[in-house]
Amino acid sequence: MKKYFIKAKKIYTFDHQKSIYDTLLIENNKISDLGNNLIPKDTDIPIIDLSDYTILPGFIDSHVHLTSTAINEILIDLSNFTSIKEIVKALEALRDSLPEGDWIVAKEFDPVNLEEKRNITQEELDKNFPKHPVLIIRKDSHSSIINSLGMKLLDVEIFPENGLIKERDHQIAIGKVYQNIDPSLLVKGLIKTLKKAAEKGITTIHALEGGYTSPPNSPQLLLGLSQYFPIDVIIYYQTTSIKKVKELGLRRIGGCLLVDGSISTLTAAVSEPYLPNQGYGVLFWDMETLSNFIRTAHKEDLQIAFHAVGDRGIDLLVRAYQKVLKEIPKEDHRHRIEHFELPNKEHIKLASQLNLTLSLQPSFLYFWGGEGKLYEQLLGKERAKRIIPLRSILKEEITAGGGSDSSVTPMDPFLGIYSAINHPNEEERITLEEAIKMFTYNGAYIGFIEKEKGSIERNKDADLVILEKNPFEFREKEEILNIKIVATISRGRFVYKDTNLVTNL
């Protein structure tokens, strides 16, 4: 339908006036009009009656490794295994169906879920898979485990510790392995991934692509396939080649360009050692090199995004941005920091003064925050309280979008929203409205697409998520985790419908 009315119980627009309506008109994939009781009695325009349901703006996931997530759709998922013995048995079954020399690649390996509470070793892999290269990607997506044959076939200089490879070595390894993936399988994985995103109410994804962690030419692939996607994909090219970005007509560079590593692998750069006394992490840039790159990209009018997690990594990046912006001021650059997990108060204030934007992953708190969990184990109680300090960030009026870092955590905005309003540190919790805004308007703003998306307003894209229940009326916060999505509309088209909940769409 090119033109139709939607009647709902409540439509939360998330416009600047925080308007709430019950009717909207969609015309040519845009929101043409909205208000209360808009539908004329004698209209011949089709009416979709959703008067039992609540509507929000379509969700925006501001940090997704899309092709890597798509590849995970075609890899072996180890997340439900409870022992190394079970994992080996499952991989042996696959081994026996593959020709010698074919890669065995598995994902979502998490020692926390296993009886042994440890990594599988290279020795164990060599014993059971002497004629097949094996790569097992850990849950954090910043490390993996490889056997000796795999090391030999990669033919690159990397330095594992009993088969465990981290950060750049990990990126090099999976980049080489990804080159062997059938492109047709990758396309199937992409379509499946984007359909799953639509089922979660997501209508736009910021895709962080390129570099070692993506298949070859993934930005070009996504650009070529974009017209076939059910939802919109905004590309951040993870390269230091400004020429490549400009040739593709993109206006964004970076994403997970690593300033430092991750907390789970003890490679995020921190000012106090990990517990117990396990080092200070790694910085992958120095001030001169980093500021030179930022200066060049800034002059080319590109939006820049960098991954920074630990307080030392954040400090280096914020001060590099400060140096360049002092030399070449620009009011509306919206340069980004991805993750921003362990900032101090000075970093937050400086990020605000510099008009930097953030892409945060609240669901990290759900999996690894709180008493006795990973952040506390590695950082101690006091530092763990500072992880992803949402309230402190919003107090400084920094625009922060919400993301999943998929496939590290699932593309599930309500999981992120729930995690944000239930921050383990009560002082850092934010309201439901603020949390939803992270995954709607803020996600649009930090990608320069707020004129088209992020709120329900006239002349914007008709990107909507229809909910069975109204989250603002829940008595218990836990209800948010079980909220059901009735349908998702992307650019005026239904891209998902739950036929168990509604039959008139």
Side-chain angles (χ1 to χ4, degrees):
M1 292 181 289
K2 288 187 176 181
K3 187 174 183 179
Y4 60 96
F5 283 107
I6 289 181
K7 178 75 174 174
K9 189 174 183 180
K10 283 188 178 180
I11 300 170
Y12 290 89
T13 64
F14 279 80
D15 63 10
H16 293 304
Q17 292 76 38
K18 302 180 182 180
S19 306
I20 302 173
Y21 300 119
D22 65 15
T23 314
L24 57 82
L25 176 64
I26 295 174
E27 189 171 2
N28 296 322
N29 303 328
K30 298 281 186 180
I31 297 165
S32 173
D33 199 4
L34 68 169
N36 292 309
N37 301 312
L38 281 180
I39 304 173
K41 290 183 179 179
D42 56 349
T43 184
D44 57 359
I45 299 172
I47 301 168
I48 296 178
D49 185 4
L50 297 172
S51 52
D52 291 333
Y53 305 117
T54 297
I55 294 180
L56 299 178
F59 291 130
I60 298 172
D61 191 321
S62 67
H63 189 115
V64 174
H65 300 281
L66 181 55
T67 53
S68 296
T69 302
I71 287 172
N72 280 352
E73 288 290 341
I74 57 177
L75 299 183
I76 304 166
D77 187 343
L78 304 179
S79 59
N80 293 320
F81 287 86
T82 58
S83 72
I84 289 174
K85 184 178 179 180
E86 287 181 359
I87 289 172
V88 170
K89 187 176 180 180
L91 297 182
E92 283 178 334
L94 177 63
R95 174 201 66 193
D96 295 342
S97 69
L98 293 173
E100 290 184 6
D102 275 16
W103 278 92
I104 296 172
V105 185
K107 64 168 183 172
E108 298 293 309
F109 179 88
D110 189 353
V112 172
N113 296 333
L114 305 179
E115 294 174 6
E116 298 87 348
K117 303 297 180 187
R118 64 170 176 84
N119 286 320
I120 192 168
T121 66
Q122 189 174 68
E123 183 181 359
E124 288 170 311
L125 293 178
D126 289 347
K127 177 183 176 181
N128 292 284
F129 308 96
K131 297 180 180 180
H132 290 79
V134 180
L135 184 73
I136 297 178
I137 302 169
R138 283 172 33 109
K139 172 73 175 173
D140 59 32
S141 291
H142 282 260
S143 57
S144 52
I145 305 155
I146 192 167
N147 68 347
S148 296
L149 180 57
M151 284 281 297
K152 182 179 178 181
L153 292 179
L154 286 182
D155 193 28
V156 291
E157 194 173 73
I158 57 178
F159 304 96
E161 301 171 14
N162 197 14
L164 179 65
I165 48 182
K166 301 178 182 179
E167 303 303 343
R168 284 186 173 177
D169 285 352
H170 160 75
Q171 292 177 2
I172 291 168
I174 64 172
K176 294 277 283 188
V177 173
Y178 284 175
Q179 291 176 15
N180 296 302
I181 291 177
D182 184 338
S184 65
L185 286 177
L186 176 58
V187 173
K188 289 180 181 178
L190 282 168
I191 298 300
K192 188 174 180 180
T193 297
L194 293 172
K195 284 183 177 179
K196 283 186 173 182
E199 290 172 9
K200 293 294 183 179
I202 297 169
T203 55
T204 304
I205 281 172
H206 296 208
L208 284 53
E209 298 296 325
Y212 291 124
T213 59
S214 303
N217 301 317
S218 64
Q220 293 88 335
L221 176 68
L222 294 179
L223 284 170
L225 294 173
S226 61
Q227 62 181 315
Y228 303 107
F229 292 159
I231 63 177
D232 286 328
V233 174
I234 310 299
I235 296 172
Y236 283 76
Y237 197 160
Q238 298 177 140
T239 178
T240 54
S241 172
I242 292 169
K243 181 181 178 183
K244 287 182 179 179
V245 171
K246 300 286 275 189
E247 284 175 350
L248 291 179
L250 301 174
R251 56 182 298 189
R252 307 167 180 90
I253 190 167
C256 266
L257 288 179
L258 302 181
V259 172
D260 65 347
S262 67
I263 290 172
S264 62
T265 57
L266 309 180
T267 52
V270 291
S271 57
E272 300 174 40
Y274 291 97
L275 303 181
N277 195 26
Q278 297 187 58
Y280 294 83
V282 183
L283 287 173
F284 297 119
W285 296 72
D286 58 68
M287 174 60 78
E288 183 178 2
T289 308
L290 181 58
S291 56
N292 284 344
F293 171 75
I294 290 173
R295 183 182 298 107
T296 305
H298 182 71
K299 284 182 177 179
E300 290 290 335
D301 202 29
L302 294 173
Q303 184 191 23
I304 305 162
F306 268 99
H307 159 124
V309 171
D311 54 357
R312 278 201 303 136
I314 291 169
D315 188 79
L316 176 62
L317 179 56
V318 170
R319 297 194 187 283
Y321 277 137
Q322 181 185 36
K323 182 178 180 180
V324 172
L325 291 169
K326 186 176 181 179
E327 296 170 10
I328 314 167
K330 182 183 177 184
E331 188 173 337
D332 195 24
H333 52 80
R334 303 190 201 179
H335 297 324
R336 291 171 50 151
I337 302 177
E338 310 299 307
H339 306 310
F340 203 68
E341 285 182 57
L342 191 60
N344 60 35
K345 290 181 180 179
E346 185 182 0
H347 298 145
I348 297 170
K349 287 185 179 296
L350 192 52
S352 177
Q353 291 166 11
L354 296 173
N355 291 321
L356 298 175
T357 64
L358 306 176
S359 174
L360 306 178
Q361 291 68 49
S363 54
F364 287 6
L365 298 164
Y366 179 85
F367 289 103
W368 303 299
E371 188 173 353
K373 291 189 177 181
L374 183 137
Y375 288 134
E376 194 173 283
Q377 292 171 14
L378 299 180
L379 300 171
K381 287 189 176 183
E382 289 308 309
R383 272 192 295 177
K385 288 180 181 178
R386 291 169 37 206
I387 290 286
I388 314 179
L390 295 170
R391 173 54 58 205
S392 298
I393 287 166
L394 295 191
K395 273 184 180 178
E396 293 295 332
E397 299 183 349
I398 299 171
T399 303
S404 63
D405 200 13
S406 178
S407 61
V408 177
T409 68
M411 280 189 282
D412 185 349
F414 274 119
L415 176 61
I417 290 163
Y418 172 84
S419 304
I421 66 176
N422 289 283
H423 196 296
N425 180 354
E426 291 186 19
E427 294 180 1
E428 295 297 348
R429 291 176 181 173
I430 60 176
T431 67
L432 177 59
E433 181 182 332
E434 290 168 331
I436 292 174
K437 191 175 179 182
M438 285 182 66
F439 286 90
T440 53
Y441 181 83
N442 289 6
Y445 182 87
I446 70 171
F448 281 102
I449 54 173
E450 79 280 4
K451 292 182 180 178
E452 295 86 34
K453 298 176 180 292
S455 59
I456 302 173
E457 300 182 69
R458 289 177 182 83
N459 302 317
K460 284 194 171 187
D461 291 350
D463 288 0
L464 312 167
V465 56
I466 296 102
L467 308 176
E468 182 188 26
K469 295 181 180 179
N470 185 342
F472 291 101
E473 295 176 356
F474 288 161
R475 293 183 179 181
E476 301 294 335
K477 292 179 179 179
E478 284 68 24
E479 292 183 73
I480 290 172
L481 289 175
N482 299 314
I483 196 166
K484 293 182 179 179
I485 293 170
V486 174
T488 304
I489 298 175
S490 175
R491 290 163 289 172
R493 297 175 294 112
F494 282 87
V495 292
Y496 169 69
K497 303 173 186 177
D498 187 333
T499 53
N500 293 317
L501 295 173
V502 64
T503 58
N504 63 330
L505 299 181

